Amino acid sequence: MSMNNFELYKVFYWAAKTGSLTKAAKTLFLTQPSVSHAIKQLEDSFGVALFSRNSKGVSLTPEGATLYSYIEQSHILIGLAEEKMAELKKLDSGELRIGGSDSLFKHYLLPYLEAFHDEHPGIKLQLIHGTTPEIITFLKEGRIDLGVVRMPIVDPQLEVREGIQLRDCFVAGSRYAELKGQLLSMEQLLEYPIILFSRNSRARKAVNDLFNSHGHDLKPGIEVGSVDLLIELARKGLGISFITREFVSRELEEGSLFEVKLDVKMPVAQVGIMTLRNIPLTQAASEFLGRIG
Amino acid sequence: MSMNNFELYKVFYWAAKTGSLTKAAKTLFLTQPSVSHAIKQLEDSFGVALFSRNSKGVSLTPEGATLYSYIEQSHILIGLAEEKMAELKKLDSGELRIGGSDSLFKHYLLPYLEAFHDEHPGIKLQLIHGTTPEIITFLKEGRIDLGVVRMPIVDPQLEVREGIQLRDCFVAGSRYAELKGQLLSMEQLLEYPIILFSRNSRARKAVNDLFNSHGHDLKPGIEVGSVDLLIELARKGLGISFITREFVSRELEEGSLFEVKLDVKMPVAQVGIMTLRNIPLTQAASEFLGRIG
DNA sequence: AGGAGCTATAGATCATGTCTATGAATAATT
DNA sequence: AATTATTCATAGACATGATCTATAGCTCCT
């Protein structure tokens, strides 16, 4: 296995393509003797003449033509590769794969995603939703570039940046207008029907723990599976929803919902943006990260 | 247009393929720092990380994987090219294109062609027949590697090697047995029906000139278009054939034909093997030339 | 804690690619 | 026919840059 210096093939390519060692030299910003020497090296290594030299340049011998048919392809591929890398660098292509919960996508990331997409329409966006442990698995398997979940995350393989702070709260609609401005105790609150996000969500666990630690048991009247439904049901007056305040900021502003304040401090949750420690980010991911931070 | 040193891609290929800079270094007979440095150059040139370094080697980033998909192809092509060149050198493949007359192919080149083909069955043989000027044109157009014709050839672009000497003569079959061993004059010969090769052949022109220079006119009783027919008709007794002696050596030996001797010196023709001056020969052609010479 | 992997970094070295200068051949000028 | 302008080849000097040695840092495993 001899294996020539690949650089020689670049010289050969241009010599063959231009039909002139002099022109090849100019193309490659070399001198003509350098090109002459490079071609000679190739010819010596193969023991075969690649060009016939005539008075107005060079032309390929049959063997040279055979070689060229391979090298041309090869050269084109490298050219494409270099173009592609430039594209990736300029964020004209590539992809950005983010894992998280649908509600975080919608209520937290959406504006960033929109801006990013506007600026880099060539980047394919992929949003993968799942639970926090699922997201972590995806990240470790290399299926996503970023994970966006609620803190705390403790995993030595992960590097976690802090995102927005989420403050959970109870909200109600006009049906319970009498509670507006009041400060309720847990007991008082528990007399109303409560709407909670279902299952294994971190927010749900946090609020249950909070009530338990005060000797109460928070049992929902209604359990739903989406943040949108939490909002909708609260507006319709079916109960008091436990929800992340940032997700209902619009409704709170326009007055279709108001916060039901408790006399205990509500838990604060950090959004964490996870990446794999020591694994380089893609261009797209690092650009996107810069925007969130 | 920046254009990296292609040699870097060779290093990148092996680093990606082996998943280890150390292994790549061993493959390339380099040291690990050299490989590390080469990869760094590539990464700097693209402004993108190509590998993530972990404790047991390296693995491609998405950008690195993109690059690899191109470089792998490119590398494979160069590998194929180098294999192909080795094949051409070893005469395991390639082609040999010879121009000439059918009779020269059959009666002069055939044994060489057979031997060459036996030894190098991978070489595709191509025989192109035509008149001398046609052969010369083919040669200059690069459609054949060698031309085999009768001398003299005068063309500054051509390099001519001498091949076998051809001595033309008249031959007859048993029908004219009385002429065997005799020395005829031109007048005497002209009383017999003469069989000549037709038209614009060089041999025909030579013999006509010979007779003209002695004040005679050689008019054929029969004109044929192939050497085989010249032989066949003479054997069948339809006349006396003018033919190249080397083409009927078998018949002369076995006695089915005998030479009709004239009292004038018969012209001698050299076979010339033409190649283009200053144009390198293919491996196959130069090997073949060595055998003829 | 120690060892055995791995890669990164710094700096010295030296080989290799590149240059200059020149020659030789051919073709187009004059 | 002599001149000029191309082309590529060759030789030798030079310097760039690839490669090496030595070392450090990190992670994993015993």
Side-chain angles (χ1 to χ4, degrees):
Chain A
M1 185 188 62
S2 59
M3 248 204 210
N4 278 310
N5 186 324
F6 279 14
E7 194 68 0
L8 297 180
Y9 292 119
K10 189 201 282 175
V11 179
F12 170 75
Y13 172 80
W14 285 107
K17 175 144 185 133
T18 61
S20 152
L21 303 196
T22 305
K23 285 196 191 117
K26 277 174 189 151
T27 308
L28 294 164
F29 302 104
L30 294 177
T31 56
Q32 170 268 318
S34 296
V35 173
S36 186
H37 185 233
I39 298 301
K40 193 165 176 8
Q41 275 185 74
L42 270 186
E43 289 183 325
D44 288 350
S45 86
F46 293 137
V48 162
L50 299 172
F51 291 100
S52 59
R53 282 71 167 171
N54 47 60
S55 65
K56 43 183 39 170
V58 294
S59 55
L60 289 165
T61 61
E63 280 92 350
T66 301
L67 180 63
Y68 184 67
S69 66
Y70 291 86
I71 297 305
E72 185 187 21
Q73 281 300 315
S74 179
H75 190 275
I76 288 172
L77 277 167
I78 291 181
L80 289 175
E82 290 182 338
E83 269 180 36
K84 189 74 178 179
M85 296 310 284
E87 266 185 17
L88 288 178
K89 172 73 191 184
K90 286 191 302 177
L91 295 175
D92 288 345
S93 79
E95 59 178 2
L96 174 58
R97 304 160 304 168
I98 307 178
S101 69
D102 278 336
S103 51
L104 279 174
F105 287 145
K106 178 166 178 188
H107 296 99
Y108 172 38
L109 290 183
L110 195 56
Y112 298 110
L113 290 170
E114 274 180 343
F116 185 85
H117 182 68
D118 280 354
E119 214 161 310
H120 307 297
I123 304 270
K124 204 163 32 167
L125 284 176
Q126 205 174 334
L127 302 179
I128 298 182
H129 81 110
T131 63
T132 297
E134 282 172 345
I135 298 301
I136 291 176
T137 306
F138 293 161
L139 202 52
K140 289 183 180 173
E141 288 173 347
R143 294 172 52 189
I144 56 176
D145 302 308
L146 301 176
V148 181
V149 294
R150 278 176 190 244
M151 304 260 268
I153 307 291
V154 274
D155 191 314
Q157 285 187 59
L158 300 183
E159 185 162 340
V160 185
R161 269 156 255 239
E162 297 191 345
I164 198 178
Q165 280 204 344
L166 302 178
R167 283 158 301 171
D168 295 319
C169 66
F170 290 91
V171 296
S174 50
R175 166 84 169 73
Y176 299 105
E178 73 268 19
L179 298 179
K180 195 180 291 185
Q182 293 210 32
L183 200 65
L184 273 68
S185 67
M186 284 185 171
E187 289 90 344
Q188 288 175 307
L189 181 72
L190 288 173
E191 287 170 18
Y192 293 87
I194 303 295
I195 312 176
L196 292 185
F197 199 85
S198 68
R199 280 179 299 172
N200 41 11
S201 92
R202 301 200 133 201
R204 166 73 176 271
K205 185 173 186 313
V207 74
N208 275 333
D209 288 351
L210 176 68
F211 274 71
N212 287 340
S213 71
H214 285 77
H216 296 294
D217 189 19
L218 180 63
K219 278 185 295 190
I222 306 179
E223 268 194 19
V224 302
S226 90
V227 173
D228 285 335
L229 225 43
L230 275 182
I231 297 171
E232 210 48 44
L233 298 183
R235 286 171 66 165
K236 292 275 160 59
L238 275 77
I240 296 175
S241 283
F242 179 73
I243 196 166
T244 300
R245 190 194 281 143
E246 282 72 15
F247 295 176
V248 286
S249 50
R250 207 188 64 225
E251 286 79 2
L252 291 175
E253 266 175 40
E254 72 188 23
S256 63
L257 287 178
F258 63 90
E259 180 173 352
V260 178
K261 301 218 158 125
L262 281 195
D263 59 0
V264 296
K265 200 165 185 114
M266 296 296 290
V268 173
Q270 268 289 344
V271 170
I273 298 134
M274 307 182 299
T275 55
L276 281 177
R277 187 178 298 279
N278 295 329
I279 301 278
L281 290 172
T282 65
Q283 285 300 112
S286 92
E287 155 74 7
F288 187 75
L289 254 187
R291 290 158 177 266
I292 310 184
Chain B
M1 185 186 61
S2 59
M3 247 202 210
N4 277 311
N5 185 323
F6 278 15
E7 193 68 0
L8 296 179
Y9 292 120
K10 189 200 282 175
V11 179
F12 170 76
Y13 171 80
W14 285 107
K17 175 146 185 134
T18 60
S20 152
L21 303 197
T22 305
K23 286 198 192 115
K26 278 175 188 150
T27 309
L28 295 164
F29 301 104
L30 294 177
T31 56
Q32 170 269 317
S34 296
V35 173
S36 186
H37 186 235
I39 298 301
K40 192 165 178 6
Q41 275 186 75
L42 272 185
E43 289 182 325
D44 288 349
S45 86
F46 294 136
V48 161
L50 299 172
F51 291 101
S52 58
R53 281 73 166 169
N54 48 59
S55 65
K56 43 185 39 172
V58 294
S59 55
L60 289 166
T61 61
E63 281 90 351
T66 301
L67 180 63
Y68 184 67
S69 66
Y70 291 85
I71 297 305
E72 185 186 22
Q73 283 300 317
S74 179
H75 191 274
I76 288 172
L77 278 167
I78 291 180
L80 289 175
E82 291 182 337
E83 269 179 36
K84 188 73 179 179
M85 296 311 283
E87 267 185 15
L88 289 177
K89 172 73 189 181
K90 286 190 301 177
L91 295 174
D92 288 346
S93 80
E95 60 177 359
L96 174 57
R97 304 160 304 168
I98 307 177
S101 69
D102 278 336
S103 51
L104 279 175
F105 288 145
K106 178 167 179 188
H107 295 99
Y108 171 39
L109 290 183
L110 194 55
Y112 298 111
L113 291 170
E114 274 180 341
F116 185 85
H117 182 68
D118 281 354
E119 214 162 307
H120 307 296
I123 304 270
K124 204 165 31 170
L125 284 176
Q126 205 174 336
L127 302 179
I128 298 182
H129 81 110
T131 63
T132 298
E134 281 172 346
I135 297 303
I136 291 176
T137 306
F138 292 161
L139 202 51
K140 289 183 179 171
E141 288 172 347
R143 293 173 53 189
I144 55 176
D145 302 308
L146 302 176
V148 181
V149 295
R150 280 176 189 243
M151 304 260 270
I153 307 292
V154 275
D155 191 315
Q157 284 188 57
L158 300 182
E159 185 162 340
V160 185
R161 268 156 253 239
E162 297 191 344
I164 198 179
Q165 277 203 345
L166 301 178
R167 283 157 301 173
D168 295 320
C169 65
F170 289 91
V171 296
S174 51
R175 165 83 169 77
Y176 298 105
E178 73 269 16
L179 298 178
K180 196 180 291 185
Q182 290 212 34
L183 200 65
L184 273 69
S185 67
M186 284 185 172
E187 289 90 345
Q188 289 174 307
L189 180 72
L190 288 173
E191 285 170 18
Y192 294 87
I194 303 294
I195 311 176
L196 291 186
F197 199 84
S198 67
R199 282 177 298 170
N200 41 12
S201 89
R202 300 200 132 202
R204 166 72 175 272
K205 185 174 186 315
V207 73
N208 276 333
D209 289 351
L210 177 67
F211 275 70
N212 287 340
S213 71
H214 286 78
H216 296 293
D217 189 19
L218 179 65
K219 277 186 295 193
I222 305 178
E223 269 194 19
V224 301
S226 91
V227 173
D228 286 334
L229 223 43
L230 275 182
I231 297 171
E232 211 48 44
L233 297 184
R235 285 170 67 166
K236 292 275 159 61
L238 275 77
I240 296 175
S241 281
F242 179 73
I243 197 167
T244 301
R245 190 196 280 143
E246 283 73 12
F247 295 175
V248 287
S249 51
R250 206 188 63 225
E251 286 79 2
L252 292 175
E253 266 174 40
E254 72 187 23
S256 63
L257 286 177
F258 63 89
E259 179 173 353
V260 177
K261 301 217 159 126
L262 280 196
D263 60 358
V264 295
K265 199 164 185 113
M266 296 296 291
V268 173
Q270 268 288 345
V271 169
I273 298 133
M274 308 182 298
T275 55
L276 280 177
R277 186 179 298 278
N278 294 331
I279 301 279
L281 289 172
T282 66
Q283 283 301 111
S286 91
E287 156 74 6
F288 187 75
L289 254 186
R291 290 159 177 264
I292 309 185

